[in-house]
Amino acid sequence: TTSGAITMTMPSGSAGAIVSIQDYNKTFDSNNFTINPASGEKLNGGVANGPLVIATEGQGLTFVYVDSTVGWKTVHENEFTAVGALNLIATGGTITECGDFKIHTFTGPGTFTVSQVANVAAENTVGYMVVAGGGGGGGGSAPDGSSGGGAGGFREGRNAPIDNFTASPLVANAPTNAITVTAQAYPITVGGGGAGGSPGTGGPGNNGAVGSNSVFSTITSTGGGAGHGQNNANSTPGNGGSGAGASGGSCRSGQTGNSPPTTPSQGSNGGGSGPGSGGSAGGGGGAGAVGGTGDPGGSGAGGAGVASSITGSPVTRAGGGGGGGAPPRGTPAGGAGPGGGGAGASSTNPGTTNTGGGGGGRDGGAGGNGGSGIVVIRYKFQ
C-alpha cells in the first residue's frame, strides 16, 4: 500500500489453509488494506461476504480457514517493528554533547571524518559555524591614529527544524548553504589571525596583515581586513570578512566587509576616520556591526560580533578591533568590539584566540594581532 489502497479477495476456503498479510512499509494507516472473503464465506465468524478493513500502521494478520461456520479465523496478530535507526557517526576535533546532538569543535586544523550516515536522510545535514582569523591592527608612530583590524568572516548554518539551537542573526537555515555529509573525510582549516603592523621608522606606521580563511566543505569564511598604520592611506589589505577601519590623518572611508560577498553576509565594513586635525582612526568592522567612525572625541570602537549557542551556550565572536588613539593630538583610542576584538591603546591589544576578533590599533608601537578562528560542526546523534 505504499502508493495506494488495496483490496484483496480471499481464496475459497479449505480446512487448514493459511493466508498471512503484513504491512510492508508501514502505510496501512494512510492507504487501507481491505480483505473480502470469497463469495458466501465469512471472516472471523462474521456475516457472509463481510469485509475487514485494516487501518493500523505496521499491522500483520495470519488467518487459518476453520469451517463454514467461522470461515477464516485470525490466529496471529502483530505490529511490525522497524529496524533500529542508524545515526550519523563521526570523529574529529573536541567532541561534546548537548541533548541529542554532538558538537565537534576545531580550534586548529583537523579532519571531520564521517564513518556512518543516518538512515533518516534529513539528519545528515549538519549545523556549522565557520569563523576566520581576524585582521591585525595597524602600527603607530606618527601623530595620527592607526586603525583597528576587521573581524574574521562569520558564517553559520542550521538544520531547522531538526535542530533549532539559538543561532546568530547571520544564520542560514537549510536548505540555504546547507552541508549534507556523506561517509568520507572533510579537511578542516582554521584560519590564524593576521599579525599587527609594526610602528614604522620616521614616517607612517605599517599596516597589519589580513587574517587567514577558515574552511569546512563548501563554506569558506574570509580573513578579517588588516588595520592601517598611523597616517598610512594604503588600503590594499583592508577588505575582508569584516573590513578594517581607516587610519587617521584625514577623512577616509573604512574598508569593505563581506568581501567576497556571501548570503547571508559574513561581516561588516570598517569605520571611517575623523578630520585630520584630530587624527582619529576608525574601528574594525565586526560580524554584527560596522566599526565605529573616528571623530574629534576619539577613535572609533570595534564593531560588535554576534552570539551563537551552537556549542550549547551563547558565545559572542568576531568583534572588530578598536582604532588607536593619537596622544599628541589628544585623541583617545577606541574600545574593543564585543566578541573578541582588541581595544585600541598605547599597549598591544590582540584579538582573542578562537573568536576571529580583530586586533586593536596602536598609538605608538606594534598593532595587536588578530585572533585565530574556529570551526564548529553539530548534528543529531540519537
Side-chain angles (χ1 to χ4, degrees):
T1 57
T2 299
S3 58
I6 290 177
T7 297
M8 181 191 79
T9 300
M10 287 286 206
S12 295
S14 59
I18 300 172
V19 172
S20 287
I21 296 113
Q22 178 67 57
D23 186 359
Y24 159 70
N25 202 29
K26 303 186 75 173
T27 53
F28 280 0
D29 56 330
S30 54
N31 297 316
N32 299 163
F33 189 89
T34 301
I35 303 171
N36 287 328
S39 180
E41 295 185 353
K42 301 176 182 178
L43 297 174
N44 290 322
V47 298
N49 303 316
L52 173 64
V53 178
I54 306 176
T56 301
E57 178 183 338
Q59 187 79 49
L61 298 173
T62 297
F63 296 88
V64 173
Y65 189 82
V66 180
D67 54 30
S68 59
T69 301
V70 174
W72 292 94
K73 176 70 174 178
T74 302
V75 295
H76 180 75
E77 186 172 354
N78 73 284
E79 290 187 14
F80 174 73
T81 301
V83 175
L86 295 176
N87 299 112
L88 197 154
I89 299 175
T91 58
T94 300
I95 303 174
T96 55
E97 295 180 7
C98 180
D100 291 338
F101 297 89
K102 278 192 177 178
I103 301 154
H104 294 240
T105 300
F106 294 85
T107 56
T111 304
F112 179 69
T113 302
V114 179
S115 58
Q116 175 180 287
V117 295
N119 58 2
V120 177
E123 294 179 5
N124 294 317
T125 297
V126 300
Y128 60 83
M129 181 185 67
V130 181
V131 183
S141 62
D144 299 314
S146 58
S147 69
F154 183 105
R155 302 188 67 185
E156 185 173 36
R158 181 173 57 183
N159 185 18
I162 289 174
D163 187 8
N164 282 317
F165 67 87
T166 302
S168 74
L170 304 182
V171 69
N173 286 317
T176 301
N177 300 336
I179 300 296
T180 300
V181 298
T182 58
Q184 62 173 296
Y186 294 85
I188 302 296
T189 301
V190 175
S198 59
T201 303
N206 290 310
N207 298 330
V210 297
S212 297
N213 298 348
S214 290
V215 183
F216 165 51
S217 186
T218 59
I219 300 298
T220 297
S221 294
T222 307
H228 299 160
Q230 287 178 327
N231 204 29
N232 192 331
N234 180 6
S235 62
T236 302
N239 300 335
S242 281
S247 62
S250 63
C251 293
R252 300 184 177 116
S253 298
Q255 302 303 298
T256 303
N258 193 31
S259 179
T262 63
T263 302
S265 173
Q266 61 177 315
S268 308
N269 295 342
S273 60
S277 60
S280 56
V290 173
T293 298
D295 59 37
S299 291
V306 291
S308 170
S309 295
I310 190 171
T311 56
S313 58
V315 179
T316 302
R317 301 178 177 87
R329 300 185 186 275
T331 303
S346 57
S347 57
T348 300
N349 282 343
T352 304
T353 301
N354 297 131
T355 67
R362 181 75 179 274
D363 58 11
N369 297 335
S372 57
I374 190 170
V375 173
V376 179
I377 301 167
R378 175 180 169 124
Y379 58 89
K380 191 174 187 299
F381 81 99
Q382 65 180 11

